[in-house]
Amino acid sequence: MKGMVIQMKKLCKYAVVTVILCLALSINVRAKDYITKENFDYSWYLEKHPDLAAAIDVNDKDAVWNFYLNIGKPAGWNGRVAEEYLIREYDFDYVRYANENPDLTAAFGMDKEALYHHYVSCGIMEGRKGYSTNEETNAKLQIYTLAESITKGCSTDREKVKAVHDWLVKNVKYDYDNYAARTIPDSSYGMAGPILHGKAVCQGYAETFEYFMDVLGIECEMVTGTANNGNGSWTGHAWNKVKLDGNWLYLDVTWDDPVPDRGDCVHWYKYYLVTDATFGGDHRPNY
C-alpha cells in the first residue's frame, strides 16, 4: 500500500509538470491542405470504400468527386489530399531522388523537371520515396506512411484516434530544454519537430495530431486558446477536437504526455476524448 502511495505521488508530480509546460505563448494557426478536385486522393478513397468502388466507374474521376462532394462528405466519408501533391516542382529534392534511384539517373540524368514528372506520374505508384527541400513537407510525407503502420489492425475511427494519441505520447518529448532556455525552434511549433526530431511544444503536438487525422480521413481541428498553468495564470495553448460517431470530443496530447518523458511507461488519459471543451475548467478555447 505504501509503495502504491509513493508511486501515485510520483505520477501526480509528473502531471503537475506537464500541466505547467503547456506553453506556446503565441499560437500560429497554419492553413490546412485543402482538398480540391485536382488533388483529391481518388485511389485511397475508393480503397477505403469498396462498396462505392463496386458501384461506380473508378476511372470516372468526375463521378467519384461528385459523390464525395455531395454525398460522401456530408455523410462523414472524408477525403484527403493525394500524397503526390504535397511536393511541388520548385521544392522537389531531385538530387536525393536521383541518388536513391540510379536507374532514373541513367535515364534522365539530373534533369529536375523530368525526375519530378517521373515521381508524380510513376514514382509514387512504384513505391519510390520522394522528398522535399522543406522539412515540414517531409514530415507530412512521413505521416502518410506512419498513419498506415500505426493504425494497422484498427477497425474503427476511435481505435485509430487512440493509436495515434498513444504513438505521439510514446515517441515525442516536450521540448523542455529549449523551452527553459527560451530557444524553441520553429520546428517544435509544427510537424517537423515531432516527426523528424521527436520534440514539440503544444502547437507541434496539436498540428501533428490534426494532420494524422486528415490523412486517416477523420474530421479534426486544432483548438487554440489559453490554459491554466497550475499557478493561477493563463497562457497560450493548443489542443484538438475530433469528430467520432457524429460528436465532437476534445483531447490534449501535450497534457497527456508526462514531463519528464516516461517513454512507454506512462500514459495519461485525463485529457483524452472528453465532452467538456474546457476539460473541467483549465482550458479556455478562443471561440
Side-chain angles (χ1 to χ4, degrees):
M1 183 67 180
K2 182 179 179 181
M4 183 180 296
V5 171
I6 293 173
Q7 181 65 18
M8 288 302 296
K9 287 182 178 179
K10 288 181 179 180
L11 294 179
C12 290
K13 175 185 175 183
Y14 293 131
V16 170
V17 175
T18 301
V19 168
I20 291 173
L21 295 179
C22 67
L23 295 184
L25 295 179
S26 177
I27 305 296
N28 299 309
V29 181
R30 292 183 175 89
K32 276 181 173 279
D33 292 332
Y34 286 106
I35 301 170
T36 67
K37 183 178 179 179
E38 288 69 34
N39 67 22
F40 186 70
D41 195 336
Y42 291 92
S43 59
W44 171 83
Y45 195 71
L46 291 167
E47 182 178 349
K48 187 176 175 69
H49 303 292
D51 289 345
L52 172 63
I56 201 169
D57 181 357
V58 296
N59 296 312
D60 187 346
K61 289 188 175 182
D62 287 337
V64 178
W65 174 254
N66 287 331
F67 175 90
Y68 160 72
L69 205 61
N70 300 310
I71 300 174
K73 187 176 180 182
W77 290 20
N78 296 304
R80 74 179 188 183
V81 173
E83 186 177 353
E84 60 265 31
Y85 287 94
L86 296 180
I87 302 176
R88 303 306 177 101
E89 186 173 353
Y90 69 85
D91 66 354
F92 179 58
D93 193 343
Y94 70 98
V95 174
R96 186 172 180 180
Y97 191 64
N99 289 339
E100 290 187 0
N101 298 280
D103 59 320
L104 301 182
T105 308
F108 305 116
M110 297 302 289
D111 186 327
K112 181 178 181 179
E113 183 178 355
L115 289 166
Y116 178 75
H117 178 73
H118 179 276
Y119 169 70
V120 296
S121 61
C122 305
I124 289 180
M125 290 188 294
E126 294 172 353
R128 300 180 194 248
K129 290 291 184 182
Y131 303 93
S132 169
T133 55
N134 180 281
E135 269 202 333
E136 195 76 358
T137 301
N138 285 332
K140 289 180 178 181
L141 289 166
Q142 195 162 325
I143 288 174
Y144 275 72
T145 302
L146 284 170
E148 183 177 353
S149 62
I150 290 170
T151 62
K152 187 176 182 180
C154 295
S155 58
T156 67
D157 285 349
R158 189 176 288 267
E159 289 175 348
K160 293 175 184 178
V161 167
K162 184 178 184 298
V164 172
H165 168 277
D166 291 358
W167 186 90
L168 289 171
V169 169
K170 287 181 180 180
N171 291 278
V172 181
K173 298 179 181 180
Y174 190 91
D175 196 355
Y176 176 78
D177 291 341
N178 281 311
Y179 158 78
R182 296 295 189 266
T183 56
I184 300 172
D186 289 343
S187 61
S188 288
Y189 289 98
M191 287 172 256
I195 299 301
L196 303 182
H197 307 296
K199 295 180 180 180
V201 291
C202 61
Q203 182 171 337
Y205 280 96
E207 285 197 2
T208 303
F209 180 84
E210 180 185 32
Y211 204 78
F212 267 106
M213 296 300 104
D214 289 347
V215 169
L216 291 168
I218 301 171
E219 193 168 352
C220 178
E221 294 180 12
M222 184 174 81
V223 181
T224 61
T226 56
N228 191 324
N229 67 10
N231 63 7
S233 62
W234 294 75
T235 189
H237 190 45
W239 58 99
N240 297 98
K241 65 177 183 178
V242 61
K243 201 169 192 178
L244 293 172
D245 302 319
N247 299 309
W248 284 106
L249 299 172
Y250 298 85
L251 70 160
D252 187 341
V253 183
T254 308
W255 282 21
D256 274 347
D257 193 2
V259 177
D261 188 79
R262 303 293 293 169
D264 290 350
C265 299
V266 177
H267 275 203
W268 304 109
Y269 293 101
K270 181 179 179 180
Y271 299 95
Y272 178 72
L273 297 187
V274 301
T275 56
D276 180 2
T278 72
F279 294 93
D282 52 23
H283 289 59
R284 291 176 181 167
N286 283 334
Y287 55 83

